[in-house]
Amino acid sequence: NAGVMQNPRHLVRRRGQEARLRCSPMKGHSHVYWYRQLPEEGLKFMVYLQKENIIDESGMPKERFSAEFPKEGPSILRIQQVVRGDSAAYFCASSPRTSKNIQYFGAGTRLSVL
Amino acid sequence: ELKVEQNPLFLSMQEGKNYTIYCNYSTTSDRLYWYRQDPGKSLESLFVLLSNGAVKQEGRLMASLDTKARLSTLHITAAVHDLSATYFCAVMYSGGGADGLTFGKGTHLIIQP
């Protein structure tokens, strides 16, 4: 049973470009969470999704950031017009049912904005 | 807003010694998690603590939860080098409306031979 798969592992973008981060949850998991980790910081919750639904986006910046979890395929975290402050590690986690289950984390995508 | 504070943030210790990491949180929660992260890696789940007085042990690590004091501890017994990592506690807010975990800043643990 493969774990949570994230790709790419490393992503380099220039200011103003778009970044797309992908996350495939563990098999049998229908709940996906995205977190951002700045250097020397803990993870900050961004968004919680179920298939075709955004359940909680209270941690998402109001502009440039969006997330989706379509019926088929991975969850996507999209950052438009990236700025240097977007440089961080972005982690995806999944859980089998409600958000009160253990969240299993992927290896993360490290985004560097030049 | 739920706040989670860990201390110490940095800890260097010798093999064979015991130490405790503390995690305080600011509001009611019905579960607390401990994770381990190695440099450049993802987070590995260590413990889930669900109720007041819960204690869980795995090898040289033991975690406990006091919901009245809003405090969890992670105790390391007879530390070995392999336990060097960053340890995070995370809390699930039980007040509704927020479904993600709130993490502490992490404790960077270095265990020297």
Side-chain angles (χ1 to χ4, degrees):
Chain A
N1 185 8
V4 178
M5 303 300 292
Q6 289 188 249
N7 69 83
R9 291 293 308 278
H10 300 274
L11 182 61
V12 179
R13 286 287 178 265
R14 296 191 181 279
R15 281 180 295 170
Q17 291 184 319
E18 178 180 287
R20 279 183 178 244
L21 289 63
R22 294 175 191 78
C23 170
S24 296
M26 286 180 70
K27 187 176 180 181
H29 288 193
S30 56
H31 298 247
V32 165
Y33 314 81
W34 285 94
Y35 293 84
R36 176 165 61 178
Q37 185 181 34
L38 295 171
E40 307 300 324
E41 294 281 331
L43 280 70
K44 303 290 187 189
F45 168 74
M46 299 179 74
V47 62
Y48 161 41
L49 310 103
Q50 296 176 26
K51 287 281 187 183
E52 300 184 283
N53 282 305
I54 297 174
I55 307 302
D56 179 358
E57 55 182 349
S58 57
M60 285 279 269
K62 294 286 185 262
E63 297 178 349
R64 302 188 296 108
F65 285 72
S66 62
E68 62 176 8
F69 189 14
K71 187 176 180 180
E72 301 290 337
S75 175
I76 306 285
L77 179 67
R78 182 181 177 208
I79 311 172
Q80 294 178 289
Q81 299 176 310
V82 296
V83 301
R84 289 221 172 102
D86 296 333
S87 296
Y90 291 84
F91 288 94
C92 168
S94 73
S95 68
R97 290 193 183 88
T98 72
S99 60
K100 295 187 185 297
N101 281 273
I102 293 175
Q103 296 179 18
Y104 296 88
F105 283 81
T109 293
R110 280 149 184 87
L111 173 65
S112 297
V113 179
L114 304 179
Chain B
E1 181 189 349
L2 174 59
K3 293 187 190 301
V4 179
E5 292 187 357
Q6 286 181 239
N7 74 84
L9 297 183
F10 296 94
L11 177 57
S12 179
M13 56 192 292
Q14 288 187 314
E15 281 191 327
K17 300 290 187 183
N18 304 333
Y19 209 82
T20 302
I21 300 170
Y22 298 89
C23 175
N24 289 91
Y25 53 97
S26 61
T27 191
T28 304
S29 175
D30 56 2
R31 57 193 62 214
L32 186 139
Y33 303 78
W34 283 96
Y35 285 90
R36 167 183 172 149
Q37 185 181 37
D38 291 294
K41 305 290 186 182
S42 186
L43 280 77
E44 173 192 354
S45 176
L46 295 174
F47 301 107
V48 182
L49 302 168
L50 301 178
S51 59
N52 188 42
V55 176
K56 290 196 174 179
Q57 183 163 4
E58 181 72 35
R60 300 175 188 273
L61 300 178
M62 183 173 71
S64 66
L65 178 62
D66 181 344
T67 57
K68 293 180 181 177
R70 296 177 185 164
L71 171 69
S72 179
T73 62
L74 181 66
H75 187 73
I76 303 151
T77 302
V80 294
H81 178 68
D82 287 352
L83 291 179
S84 297
T86 300
Y87 293 86
F88 291 97
C89 66
V91 174
M92 174 69 71
Y93 175 57
S94 63
D99 291 288
L101 296 175
T102 300
F103 282 80
K105 289 191 174 183
T107 296
H108 299 270
L109 175 62
I110 298 172
I111 298 169
Q112 299 177 354

